[in-house]
Amino acid sequence: MISIWEKDILYAPVDILIAGSGLMGLWTAYEIKKRRPGLSVQIIDRGNIPTGASTRNAGFACFGSATELISDKANTGNDLMLEVVNNRYKGIQKTRAVLGDAAIGFEPCGGYEAIQANYKEYAFLQEHIDTLNKDLQSITGLPQTFTIDNGALQTQGLTGFDALVYSSLEGALHSGKLVNSLTALVQQMGVTIRMHTELLHWEQLATQINVQTPGAIIPCQQLIIATNGFTQNLLPELHIKPGRGQVVVTKPIPGLRLHGTFHFDEGFYYWRHLGNRVLLGGGRNMAFEEEETCELQTTGTIQNVLHRFLQQHILQPYGIGNTEDVIDYSWAGIMAFTENKLPQVTTVAPNIHAVIACNGMGVALSSVIAEQVADTVFR
């Protein structure tokens, strides 16, 4: 049983209760408090830190590589592809404007996509990029969002690739600083955040929603579920697919030439400089079924894929023969995916909403999608 003090303070009724303290939950709290400062807003999370993807990503401030966007255009149509890119681009600009570059460790280092000659569109790469640039000009304001820069293959020290596509608009950031800064901001706005408080289930009553946590019930007027890849455990009917992303980071490499953010294979591989270290992630397309999971452990299958990639494409100029000797960190994060690659904002019952599936682009998308959530809450 809880005490009367706990009931009055720790488990007191709130106007808005948000499950999930990652970027999506934090930005949603920000948007709600910005519009209605007088509302009581509380975020709960089952962990001691957000353990999905918000602090376990690669720290990219990107809106999509050229071949990824070409692929999306073929799969979903040009209009939907541009809608997603527009939201990603606006999201990056909003994050920088609200929090400031220094607070999130933003580096305007530019981004590259590495391409091999066996890529299905390689023969028409320039033609595809010209078309893509025309489509993107209204979003980015640049006549050339993407340019071919093959000379950078040597200056960046990359091996085993035939072309590089460059965008000056992409950059890198520090994911931990981003979450920390946004957390501090919403707390200053009056949002309460309670960790180690898991949403177990809820009961919808005539005048409120009772949310059961391990400690006690928290009554609320509206419930927002922002648990991303873990949402399938609460709302399996939404058919959200989790996707594990695995990452490795090397020890410091003297004389590292690599500088910028990089993509390969329609975005399934991604790497960047991290000071004089290399951060590399991805490879889940080598084992889709195995990586469709909420388990946070790294696996030998994908770790071996990443080690081979490092050896073949990044480490050769530095005389590092054994990749195992240079790996310093490895981890996994959980993303969420929809079939059409569009984020999902859904009202699952009166005053109960779910916001999920930024499809691996939560850093860019969450601040903008949170506006849609607030629109839904106040509709």
Side-chain angles (χ1 to χ4, degrees):
M1 297 289 292
I2 62 172
S3 73
I4 191 170
W5 322 120
E6 293 165 340
K7 183 178 180 181
D8 284 349
I9 299 298
L10 300 180
Y11 300 101
V14 294
D15 294 314
I16 309 289
L17 185 66
I18 301 171
S21 68
L23 289 172
M24 196 70 255
L26 292 168
W27 277 117
T28 298
Y30 169 83
E31 281 298 323
I32 289 171
K33 288 294 283 187
K34 186 176 74 169
R35 300 184 191 193
R36 303 280 182 86
L39 291 181
S40 56
V41 179
Q42 183 173 107
I43 298 174
I44 60 173
D45 197 296
R46 66 179 183 176
N48 62 327
I49 59 172
T51 53
S54 295
T55 56
R56 292 174 168 264
N57 57 59
F60 279 49
C62 62
F63 50 84
S65 65
T67 64
E68 178 192 356
L69 301 186
I70 292 168
S71 175
D72 289 348
K73 178 179 179 178
N75 293 330
T76 66
N78 200 46
D79 289 345
L80 277 181
M81 180 273 287
L82 291 175
E83 177 184 336
V84 172
V85 173
N86 185 48
N87 282 335
R88 292 172 179 173
Y89 183 75
K90 285 168 53 181
I92 294 169
Q93 304 311 309
K94 177 179 176 179
T95 298
R96 296 176 61 190
V98 170
L99 299 174
D101 287 355
I104 63 175
F106 180 80
E107 294 184 62
C109 54
Y112 297 86
E113 179 173 19
I115 297 174
Q116 293 175 326
N118 61 358
Y119 171 63
K120 59 187 176 183
E121 308 289 359
Y122 180 75
F124 306 99
L125 185 60
Q126 185 64 65
E127 178 183 336
H128 279 282
I129 289 175
D130 289 344
T131 301
L132 191 58
N133 282 337
K134 290 177 183 177
D135 290 337
L136 294 176
Q137 186 169 1
S138 63
I139 296 173
T140 66
L142 296 180
Q144 290 186 305
T145 299
F146 296 107
T147 58
I148 294 178
D149 184 8
N150 294 342
L153 284 168
Q154 183 174 359
T155 58
Q156 294 284 355
L158 297 174
T159 55
F161 299 116
D162 300 294
L164 275 184
V165 178
Y166 175 69
S167 173
S168 63
L169 297 176
E170 301 208 336
L173 52 75
H174 191 298
S175 299
K177 289 182 178 180
L178 169 58
V179 170
N180 194 54
S181 297
L182 186 54
T183 298
L185 175 60
V186 299
Q187 287 176 323
Q188 290 170 9
M189 298 172 78
V191 175
T192 303
I193 300 177
R194 294 189 47 209
M195 309 305 290
H196 299 291
T197 307
E198 183 177 6
L199 189 164
L200 299 175
H201 56 83
W202 59 85
E203 181 183 10
Q204 194 155 26
L205 305 178
T207 59
Q208 67 186 36
I209 301 163
N210 283 347
V211 173
Q212 182 68 59
T213 73
I217 288 173
I218 303 175
C220 63
Q221 293 301 307
Q222 298 210 50
L223 171 64
I224 300 170
I225 300 168
T227 50
N228 208 33
F230 301 105
T231 305
Q232 63 165 0
N233 300 324
L234 296 169
L235 296 167
E237 65 271 22
L238 296 183
H239 304 293
I240 299 300
K241 293 184 177 181
R244 179 168 55 196
Q246 300 190 40
V247 175
V248 296
V249 176
T250 70
K251 297 174 183 176
I253 298 174
L256 181 69
R257 290 146 59 186
L258 189 79
H259 189 268
T261 63
F262 297 80
H263 294 89
F264 173 66
D265 194 10
E266 297 179 2
F268 280 111
Y269 293 85
Y270 40 92
W271 65 100
R272 55 169 287 192
H273 75 282
L274 192 61
N276 59 351
R277 302 171 185 259
V278 178
L279 180 154
L280 167 69
R284 66 184 183 87
N285 57 332
M286 296 293 100
F288 268 132
E289 291 186 7
E290 183 179 335
E291 296 307 290
E292 194 175 295
T293 179
C294 288
E295 298 296 325
L296 281 164
Q297 294 86 352
T298 60
T299 65
T301 302
I302 300 301
Q303 292 294 301
N304 288 336
V305 167
L306 296 178
H307 288 198
R308 287 196 301 270
F309 191 95
L310 267 174
Q311 194 63 56
Q312 293 170 2
H313 299 296
I314 301 172
L315 296 182
Q316 286 190 28
Y318 310 101
I320 299 172
N322 188 348
T323 307
E324 298 282 347
D325 293 339
V326 79
I327 299 297
D328 205 11
Y329 294 88
S330 62
W331 68 81
I334 306 299
M335 301 170 283
F337 294 90
T338 55
E339 289 189 4
N340 62 4
K341 294 192 73 174
L342 291 175
Q344 188 167 333
V345 179
T346 304
T347 298
V348 297
N351 298 320
I352 301 175
H353 318 283
V355 51
I356 35 186
C358 285
N359 295 277
M361 284 283 183
V363 169
L365 278 175
S366 53
S367 65
V368 171
I369 302 306
E371 298 173 12
Q372 298 179 21
V373 184
D375 290 341
T376 301
V377 167
F378 298 133
R379 184 171 297 154

